[in-house]
Amino acid sequence: MKTKTIVTICVALVVLVLGVAFGSVWVPPGEIINVVRNKIFGYDIAGIVDSSSVAIVWTLRLPRALLAFLVGAALSCSGAVMQSILRNPLASSYTLGVSSGASLGACIVILYNITIPFLSVMTLPIVGFVFGFGTILLSIAFASRIDGQMQNNTIILTGMVFSLFVNAITTLLSAMSREHLQRLLFWQMGSFSARGWAPVYILAPIVVIGTFLVLHYNRELDMMTFGEDQAKTMGVDIKRVKWILLIVGAALTGCAIAFVGVIGFVDLVAPHVVRRLFGSSHKRVIPMSMLFGGAFMVICDLAARTVVSPSELPVGAVTAIIGAPFFAYIYFRKKEVV
Amino acid sequence: MLTLYDVSAGYNGVDVVRHISLCVRNNENLSIIGPNGCGKTTLLKAVASLLPFSGDIEIDGRPVVKMKHKEVSRRIAMLCQMSGVYFSYSVFDTVMMGRYLHIKDKLLGLPSERDKALVMECLEAVDLVAEADRPITTLSGGQMQRVFLARTLAQEPEIILLDEPTNHLDLKYQIELIEYLKAWAVHGERAVIGVLHDINLAMKLSDNIMVMKDGEICVQGKVSDVITGSLLENVYDIDVAQYMRESLHKWDCLKQ
């Protein structure tokens, strides 16, 4: 288990470095490390790394790769949480309406050219987050109101109802304003292009805090996979833990997709693959899913920006194209260790 | 001592069990029998505070509604009917979950040596020490049931509620389980309340029995005092005594 963990950490780091190195211009890993040392510790790189490489690494590729990694990690963590608390291997924040809500928010901003003065270019991601997070909160609150026990089926069904309803509004609004349809469609397909450092600075602390919160409840998550009655008889305060984890999971997804658009699949795949390799204990599933999901997203983004260069593929589609066969291979091959 | 006063409970505002009063002392076991749907599981769930109820449920004279949820879980453990297992854990890790409230390291949740030793004791009690590292999804139904029983024992409760604990178990393990639970209750000044479908096992678990029908108590008391052929016929709508006699006759005819 220890070896697997070390290998996963090393692979994730290598993928991150390669995600920065590859592109129209190859930047050797040594130069990347030197640029990072220069920017963070003031290490002198004059004469070692040329200024164009510094610009490529620090301005373009590193923030992009880090954002992809953070988004993949946040979505994977959220997916693992949702699958466990709802005891549904197909559950995710998307099931509960977060992507539908975020799409509606983005749709309103794009179609009506809304710019909130003090938010400026951040209007789209922030409105996307507010709508996504708002939809999931409404959905959970509604589930709680109609079913005091907050049973999983009620939460999932309520989420689907809200999701479909909000999707319908988005479709209606889009149909009425077709000239903006392409921009909306691209946002919905997801992209890490030209985002800069700002989203990294915002997302990083959210991912760190969210991860610690989720890890704090790792034992409760383990017990909840056996069903709520069983977890409750063992002493878990189901309702409180469920509320906290649903909100943390939704916030992680909401923040992630707010900056890059709707990117699916990784939240479903990463926890399943990790469970196959590391077992189901959440103290391992959460961090390993985040490493796997982060690295996977960096690879997908790398493919998205290099395969049809100088043009770009929507990363949301690439995640499924690369991920589906890989998932099938891992999931359906003979299980080795749990 | 567990005492129920006029307890009613159910789902969505409809009472499935009504006006249940009973008392189970430490060292004492109680078997509950009755036809499907008569409210046995609902009653256990109400006692375990998994369902809202009216009336009073007290442990040693203290109402459970005035206890924190964690205190109730420390004192009452319940072996629920087995449901689907979606994610796999090792047998050891699954039983360790029963130590949730006892593990002192709240930050990292690391078990102490005592927790580990107690988990191994519980696994020994259900004859699963050799399977400690096996993933539970690779176990048979009977082995899985024994893992969950070990987890219930690992909680070190004062009262154990068992909802059809012998499901999936072969005859040997059924009898061993009942014997173990009887000893567990007597030696530890504890109590076991078991819902069982097998009347013979119910009689083996305890001298006291409660027969339920349509959400209410039909009779309760010592087996020898209350169980009669006509009572069972009335409860189950078949001649149970005649069925038992026919079974015994078949046994008599078997070659030794």
Side-chain angles (χ1 to χ4, degrees), chain A residues 12-23 25 27-29 31-40 52-71 192 194-201 204 294 298 301-302 305:
Chain A
L13 283 172
V14 168
V15 166
L16 194 58
V17 172
L18 291 179
V20 181
F22 273 111
V25 178
V27 181
E31 283 191 14
I32 296 167
I33 292 164
N34 281 334
V35 171
V36 173
R37 286 169 72 192
N38 169 258
K39 292 291 178 182
I40 297 174
S52 62
S53 292
V54 175
I56 288 170
V57 170
W58 194 255
T59 317
L60 296 174
R61 293 198 197 153
L62 188 60
R64 182 173 178 147
L66 282 175
L67 181 61
F69 192 90
L70 284 170
V71 167
F192 294 105
R195 297 294 193 270
W197 280 100
V200 177
Y201 294 144
V298 172
D301 182 48
L302 184 60
R305 68 185 165 84

Side-chain angles (χ1 to χ4, degrees), chain A residues 87 220 223 230 232-233 280, chain B residues 69 84 88-89 100 151 155:
Chain A
R87 289 189 84 210
E220 286 82 352
M223 288 185 269
Q230 297 202 33
K232 210 171 168 186
T233 58
S280 299
Chain B
H69 171 66
S88 190
Y89 296 86
Y100 172 64
R151 192 178 65 186
Q155 285 182 246

Side-chain angles (χ1 to χ4, degrees), chain A:
Chain A
M1 194 66 76
K2 220 173 203 173
T3 315
K4 278 187 186 176
T5 307
I6 293 166
V7 168
T8 309
I9 293 169
C10 292
V11 168
L13 283 172
V14 168
V15 166
L16 194 58
V17 172
L18 291 179
V20 181
F22 273 111
S24 53
V25 178
W26 163 257
V27 181
E31 283 191 14
I32 296 167
I33 292 164
N34 281 334
V35 171
V36 173
R37 286 169 72 192
N38 169 258
K39 292 291 178 182
I40 297 174
F41 305 111
Y43 175 72
D44 186 14
I45 54 168
I48 306 171
V49 184
D50 62 66
S51 58
S52 62
S53 292
V54 175
I56 288 170
V57 170
W58 194 255
T59 317
L60 296 174
R61 293 198 197 153
L62 188 60
R64 182 173 178 147
L66 282 175
L67 181 61
F69 192 90
L70 284 170
V71 167
L75 292 175
S76 305
C77 179
S78 171
V81 168
M82 294 296 178
Q83 286 167 11
S84 296
I85 52 178
L86 298 175
R87 289 189 84 210
N88 189 322
L90 297 175
S92 73
S93 292
Y94 294 148
T95 324
L96 303 185
V98 73
S99 62
S100 313
S103 293
L104 177 62
C107 176
I108 291 169
V109 170
I110 291 168
L111 299 188
Y112 299 105
N113 260 330
I114 295 169
T115 308
I116 300 170
F118 59 93
L119 294 178
S120 174
V121 290
M122 296 296 280
T123 301
L124 180 60
I126 288 177
V127 171
F129 169 75
V130 169
F131 272 71
F133 195 60
T135 307
I136 203 167
L137 276 187
L138 273 175
S139 149
I140 299 169
F142 188 73
S144 162
R145 192 165 176 78
I146 58 172
D147 177 1
Q149 304 289 312
M150 286 253 288
Q151 291 185 53
N152 294 339
N153 286 345
T154 314
I155 295 175
I156 291 172
L157 286 172
T158 313
M160 289 182 74
V161 168
F162 270 76
S163 190
L164 290 170
F165 182 73
V166 172
N167 268 342
I169 297 173
T170 309
T171 309
L172 283 176
L173 289 177
S174 315
M176 287 189 285
S177 182
R178 292 182 186 187
E179 65 272 25
H180 297 291
L181 217 53
Q182 196 178 21
R183 199 179 152 209
L184 178 64
L185 195 65
F186 270 108
W187 185 86
Q188 285 176 331
M189 288 192 291
S191 169
F192 294 105
S193 171
R195 297 294 193 270
W197 280 100
V200 177
Y201 294 144
I202 297 170
L203 198 54
I206 293 169
V207 171
V208 171
I209 293 167
T211 307
F212 274 110
L213 267 172
V214 172
L215 279 175
H216 178 70
Y217 289 106
N218 77 82
R219 291 192 299 149
E220 286 82 352
L221 276 166
D222 286 341
M223 288 185 269
M224 285 164 82
T225 61
F226 287 93
E228 292 183 5
D229 279 354
Q230 297 202 33
K232 210 171 168 186
T233 58
M234 286 185 270
V236 177
D237 185 348
I238 290 288
K239 208 169 174 184
R240 190 177 68 88
V241 173
K242 206 169 184 175
W243 258 106
I244 291 171
L245 290 174
L246 281 172
I247 287 173
V248 172
L252 282 171
T253 307
C255 290
I257 67 170
F259 292 109
V260 297
V262 179
I263 298 172
F265 207 71
V266 67
D267 57 333
L268 168 72
V269 172
H272 282 300
V273 171
V274 167
R275 283 190 195 101
R276 285 270 144 176
L277 299 172
F278 291 90
S280 299
S281 171
H282 285 85
K283 69 181 172 216
R284 284 188 290 272
V285 167
I286 299 297
M288 290 301 115
S289 293
M290 293 176 76
L291 284 174
F292 177 86
F296 177 71
M297 194 59 85
V298 172
I299 292 170
C300 290
D301 182 48
L302 184 60
R305 68 185 165 84
T306 53
V307 169
V308 291
S309 178
S311 189
E312 275 200 26
L313 294 169
V315 72
V318 177
T319 53
I321 287 172
I322 296 179
F326 179 69
F327 178 57
Y329 168 70
I330 293 286
Y331 200 77
F332 296 114
R333 78 182 176 148
K334 195 170 181 286
K335 202 171 187 176
E336 285 172 0
V337 181
V338 171

